[in-house]
Amino acid sequence: MSEEAVLRLEAIERRYGRGETTIEVLGGVDLALMAGESVALIAPSGAGKSTLLHIAGLLERADGGEVRISGQATSNMNDDRRTALRRSEIGFVYQFHHLLPEFSALENVVIPQMIAGLKRAEAASRARELLGFLGLGAREGHRPAELSGGEQQRVAIARAVANAPRVLLADEPTGNLDPKTADHVFGTLAELVKASRVAALVATHNLELAARMDRRVTLRDGRLEEMG
Ligand code: ADP
């Protein structure tokens, strides 16, 4: 039997009503993401990238189609089950880091693990391991304001994978960084994907960075196409 996709989108549809008219943002999107695979989602502004990531991350419901996480269908789940599944299986990274400003880098990675039920010592141990992997070992006691933009984004990546999700969704994670820093953050993200076997779907405008991922897809007229 072939390996099962950790994230599978099947014929995903999403429409938004605007007064009398309806716009179809997603008109039958199919995608399969395997463990350890990184896929870049490249499309112009307004094409539906954020909508697609929100639906894949169970933050928003599709109007049609199915989102499967490790084979499990999610469309018939109630909101509590979707939230529980999202918390355990999906990590998010956004363009802006959204770290808690009053807490250190370490605490920002510890807190989601404690919410998930881990004891502080275990959570701190994993947080140190992750921050070390991302090159932030010497920065764990710093608050977000005491970190550079690239360091903040690496802490945000550590936080996103703190609970060992199977799927990592990122919306322009380097969009707010200068090219050299973006390159470095992207490199560490790619290493993390390979080392942890998380499946990553990363929306980006940066074609150079996208070229370093396993696959590239784009949204055209509400459908996903391979870019090669
Ligand atoms: P992208 O992330 O590629 O820039 P989005 O997914 O944010 O695109 O948006 C795709 C389209 O859907 C846009 O035309 C946007 O205006 C529209 N859209 C997104 N969210 C909503 C919403 N909540 N209500 C109405 N229209 C929306």
Side-chain angles (χ1 to χ4, degrees):
M1 206 177 93
S2 62
E3 201 187 345
E4 183 172 65
V6 288
L7 171 67
R8 188 179 287 279
L9 305 179
E10 295 169 350
I12 295 295
E13 294 172 20
R14 186 72 171 114
R15 290 172 281 276
Y16 291 115
R18 236 186 240 142
E20 307 264 289
T21 58
T22 301
I23 59 159
E24 186 176 66
V25 179
L26 305 175
V29 165
D30 297 303
L31 176 71
L33 229 70
M34 312 307 283
E37 188 178 36
S38 58
V39 176
L41 173 58
I42 309 157
S45 202
K49 300 183 296 297
S50 300
T51 301
L52 181 60
L53 290 171
H54 289 161
I55 289 171
L58 311 180
L59 287 166
E60 213 178 295
R61 285 182 186 269
D63 294 313
E66 187 62 82
V67 178
R68 289 182 191 275
I69 308 289
S70 299
Q72 207 177 353
T74 60
S75 64
N76 290 329
M77 287 182 180
N78 64 26
D79 288 346
D80 287 349
R81 279 195 69 199
R82 285 165 60 91
T83 299
L85 192 62
R86 180 170 66 246
R87 286 197 179 139
S88 65
E89 305 291 357
I90 300 165
F92 290 92
V93 182
Y94 298 96
Q95 181 171 359
F96 299 99
H97 58 76
H98 299 300
L99 296 171
L100 299 171
E102 299 303 317
F103 292 93
S104 69
L106 187 79
E107 291 294 329
N108 267 281
V109 185
V110 163
I111 290 165
Q113 298 179 74
M114 291 186 69
I115 291 170
L118 253 69
K119 296 228 166 60
R120 172 172 289 279
E122 291 170 272
S125 159
R126 168 143 175 97
R128 288 205 172 89
E129 194 184 321
L130 276 171
L131 291 172
F133 184 89
L134 293 166
L136 292 164
R139 296 281 185 275
E140 64 176 50
H142 293 228
R143 290 186 188 182
E146 299 163 345
L147 299 170
S148 70
E151 288 168 345
Q152 289 167 346
Q153 258 333 41
R154 281 183 280 146
V155 177
I157 291 167
R159 177 189 52 184
V161 298
N163 289 326
R166 287 175 211 259
V167 180
L168 181 63
L169 302 173
D171 200 349
E172 301 276 355
T174 60
N176 194 35
L177 303 174
D178 66 79
K180 189 156 171 274
T181 308
D183 190 74
H184 182 233
V185 169
F186 210 86
T188 49
L189 178 65
E191 281 171 32
L192 185 75
V193 168
K194 293 301 166 210
S196 66
R197 302 270 300 147
V198 73
L201 180 60
V202 181
T204 181
H205 282 300
N206 190 322
L207 295 176
E208 252 176 68
L209 298 182
R212 286 158 46 182
M213 306 198 72
D214 295 328
R215 275 197 291 142
R216 283 143 295 282
V217 296
T218 189
L219 275 167
R220 204 183 308 277
D221 299 328
R223 287 171 176 264
L224 215 60
E225 291 178 5
E226 297 283 334
M227 291 178 81

